[in-house]
Amino acid sequence: MKNAKVIFTAWILTACILGGCSSDTQAKKEENAPSTNINTTTTNNEDKYTEYRDQFYAFKENFDPSPQFKLISPDDYIAAGTVSFPDSVTIDKEKTDALTSEVPTKYDLLYKSEKSNMIVKVNFIYMDGAEFKEDSEFITINTISQARNENVIEKYHDLERPMIDEYFLRYKNKLIVINFVEQVEYQSEAQYQKKTTSYVEEQLKFYELFEQELKKSF
């Protein structure tokens, strides 16, 4: 009986040792196995960017703000621009706004008003990986005009400035900036106010049509 206990105990120890070795070997195998996370992440990012690029071209093809506005960008290929940051930029370790040397983040389209000399520039900026509280939001409107003097000292109130309104919005992690630009000669307050009214009416009409197509294409 004593021998049986010894044999049984030896068998348990052997099983534990072998079991431990098996677990250790499996752990080492898993530790040394090549990770697929990096490749999967890269593939997902490429897929997202391709989707964004295709959506941009679909928007370009489908968005028709005529008869009020006319597309003046090329019909086929759109050159996606990248910007190199000056050396004084220290808040970003990257030296360009491109994702890589081959992958730009920004596409833009230009339109001309058929009623005035207004130019509209729509900038689509890819922001993959950015995290926000809301899926989409209209951020703000930035304005420059000769009528906006609240933050200009009085002796510079007559300084000539173009009319510029910039709409900032984010739609599904794409930053969109719409620039409405028009050169207007200031002749009188009444004339300038009348022009400002028509200028705002034009941009509001453009944005109404723009947002409708944005929801369809992206």
Side-chain angles (χ1 to χ4, degrees):
M1 187 65 132
K2 187 173 182 181
N3 290 338
K5 288 183 178 179
V6 171
I7 292 171
F8 181 69
T9 303
W11 180 84
I12 292 176
L13 288 172
T14 303
C16 290
I17 291 170
L18 290 177
C21 290
S22 175
S23 299
D24 289 345
T25 302
Q26 181 65 26
K28 288 178 181 178
K29 284 182 179 178
E30 292 176 355
E31 182 180 343
N32 296 328
S35 174
T36 58
N37 291 340
I38 296 175
N39 292 335
T40 301
T41 301
T42 301
T43 301
N44 288 341
N45 288 341
E46 289 174 352
D47 290 344
K48 288 179 182 178
Y49 180 80
T50 300
E51 180 184 31
Y52 153 74
R53 183 193 61 202
D54 293 345
Q55 288 172 339
F56 166 78
Y57 275 101
F59 177 90
K60 174 184 173 295
E61 184 69 24
N62 297 325
F63 180 48
D64 181 13
S66 63
Q68 294 95 339
F69 297 87
K70 177 181 180 180
L71 176 68
I72 59 174
S73 292
D75 290 333
D76 46 11
Y77 177 74
I78 297 296
T82 60
V83 177
S84 296
F85 301 152
D87 293 338
S88 55
V89 173
T90 60
I91 62 172
D92 194 328
K93 64 181 180 179
E94 304 297 336
K95 294 303 179 184
T96 176
D97 64 350
L99 294 178
T100 69
S101 58
E102 294 83 22
V103 182
T105 59
K106 183 169 70 267
Y107 288 94
D108 59 64
L109 297 171
L110 282 93
Y111 299 85
K112 179 189 178 302
S113 169
E114 298 283 40
K115 180 181 177 182
S116 65
N117 64 1
M118 177 191 289
I119 297 294
V120 183
K121 184 172 181 279
V122 183
N123 308 273
F124 293 87
I125 304 169
Y126 184 64
M127 298 184 69
D128 179 53
E131 295 183 3
F132 302 94
K133 292 181 180 179
E134 303 295 336
D135 183 56
S136 301
E137 60 179 336
F138 194 103
I139 301 172
T140 191
I141 298 176
N142 182 49
T143 299
I144 297 175
S145 82
Q146 208 154 330
R148 296 292 301 271
N149 287 315
E150 59 269 27
N151 291 319
V152 180
I153 58 178
E154 188 173 356
K155 70 176 182 178
Y156 293 111
H157 282 190
D158 294 334
L159 186 68
E160 291 187 7
R161 284 154 279 171
M163 282 184 171
I164 301 176
D165 274 1
E166 297 175 308
Y167 288 27
F168 291 82
L169 56 143
R170 187 181 51 74
Y171 189 73
K172 296 180 179 178
N173 280 16
K174 283 168 281 292
L175 176 64
I176 299 172
V177 181
I178 308 176
N179 309 118
F180 299 92
V181 184
E182 186 167 357
Q183 294 287 348
V184 178
E185 183 181 355
Y186 187 94
Q187 298 173 352
S188 67
E189 185 174 346
Q191 166 265 341
Y192 199 82
Q193 183 56 49
K194 183 178 179 180
K195 180 58 194 174
T196 300
T197 300
S198 63
Y199 168 74
V200 172
E201 288 174 352
E202 278 199 273
Q203 63 181 258
L204 292 179
K205 182 59 181 177
F206 180 92
Y207 183 79
E208 179 184 0
L209 298 171
F210 171 83
E211 189 174 286
Q212 291 172 4
E213 186 56 47
L214 181 70
K215 293 177 179 179
K216 296 176 185 177
S217 296
F218 287 91

